[in-house]
């Protein structure tokens, strides 16, 4: 009888522990970037953070933007891999296959105003919301040289009703 109780207790603890297991990882939780407030937009460096599904299952992910200490005249938008959400979108969902890789980054639209600000994004597994992480993007936009921005070619996909983009590195198309 004691052995059955012990096996039952250990089994229950293993099930609870699996419920708290992290199904995804990110390569950083803090992204610092600089740029010029005279640019129409400044993007955080691509691939930071990258998100990896480390579980053996397909996971349903969701991000939620929480703007903290962002100047009132700035706007921001969240991007994943090759898709950017519109400025007013404060959340979005996506699916990751086992072993899949994705990324998050942001665009800041400073409208000519120099300042600093933080954009915080909470990323979580929809099926297990405890499985979450917060990522802070810190932007310092002066009137100086725009070191980390990249030129981007945008085009509209009318079939899927989305804006797609292609980054341009060192002015080469």
């Amino acid at each position: 009888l004691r052995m059955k109780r012990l096996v039952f207790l250990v089994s229950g603890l293993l099930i609870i522990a699996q419920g708290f297991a992290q199904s995804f990882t990110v390569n950083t939780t803090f992204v610092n970037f600089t740029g010029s407030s005279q640019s129409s937009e400044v993007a955080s460096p691509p691939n930071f953070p990258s998100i990896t599904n480390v579980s053996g299952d397909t996971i349903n992910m969701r991000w939620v933007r929480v703007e903290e200490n962002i100047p009132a005249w700035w706007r921001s938008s969240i991007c994943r891999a090759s898709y950017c959400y519109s400025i007013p979108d404060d959340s979005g969902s996506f699916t990751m296959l086992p072993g899949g890789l994705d990324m998050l980054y942001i665009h800041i639209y400073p409208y000519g105003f120099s300042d600093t600000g933080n954009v915080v994004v909470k990323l979580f597994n929809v099926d297990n919301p405890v499985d979450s992480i917060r990522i802070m993007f810190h932007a310092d936009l002066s009137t100086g040289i725009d070191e980390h921005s990249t030129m981007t070619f945008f085009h509209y996909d009318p079939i899927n009703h989305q804006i797609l983009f292609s980054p341009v590195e060192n002015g080469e198309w």
Side-chain angles (χ1 to χ4, degrees):
L1 183 61
R2 286 183 86 163
M3 186 59 128
K4 285 184 180 181
R5 285 185 186 167
L6 181 61
V7 169
F8 180 75
L9 179 64
V10 170
S11 298
L13 289 174
L14 287 174
I15 290 170
I16 290 171
Q18 284 179 340
F20 292 110
Q22 195 78 15
S23 60
F24 67 94
T25 60
V26 296
N27 63 348
T28 186
T29 58
F30 181 78
V31 178
N32 187 37
F33 63 104
T34 60
S36 171
S37 63
Q38 302 308 305
S39 296
S40 60
E41 67 180 301
V42 179
S44 63
N47 300 318
F48 291 101
S50 63
I51 308 157
T52 305
N53 178 349
V54 294
S55 76
D57 299 315
T58 298
I59 54 176
N60 299 308
M61 299 294 293
R62 184 159 188 81
W63 62 264
V64 177
R65 174 179 46 192
V66 181
E67 296 183 13
E68 296 179 342
N69 301 322
I70 190 170
W73 47 85
W74 285 9
R75 297 294 175 261
S76 66
S77 65
I78 308 296
C79 298
R80 290 186 23 250
S82 62
Y83 178 78
C84 281
Y85 296 85
S86 65
I87 290 173
D89 290 342
D90 284 327
S91 64
S93 299
F94 60 101
T95 302
M96 293 187 75
L97 297 174
L101 181 68
D102 209 324
M103 66 178 185
L104 281 181
Y105 60 101
I106 68 167
H107 286 249
I108 295 288
Y109 305 91
Y111 300 105
F113 293 96
S114 298
D115 211 331
T116 61
N118 300 317
V119 174
V120 177
V121 177
K122 180 179 177 181
L123 182 66
F124 62 95
N125 179 339
V126 173
D127 300 319
N128 183 8
V130 174
D131 189 3
S132 68
I133 197 157
R134 290 171 57 100
I135 302 162
M136 178 182 282
F137 295 88
H138 176 76
D140 184 353
L141 306 185
S142 66
T143 55
I145 298 173
D146 197 356
E147 297 175 356
H148 296 286
S149 279
T150 58
M151 184 185 304
T152 306
F153 172 76
F154 290 89
H155 69 277
Y156 181 70
D157 176 0
I159 295 171
N160 295 311
H161 304 288
Q162 60 186 340
I163 296 174
L164 302 172
F165 66 93
S166 304
V168 177
E169 301 269 335
N170 301 322
E172 295 179 17
W173 292 92

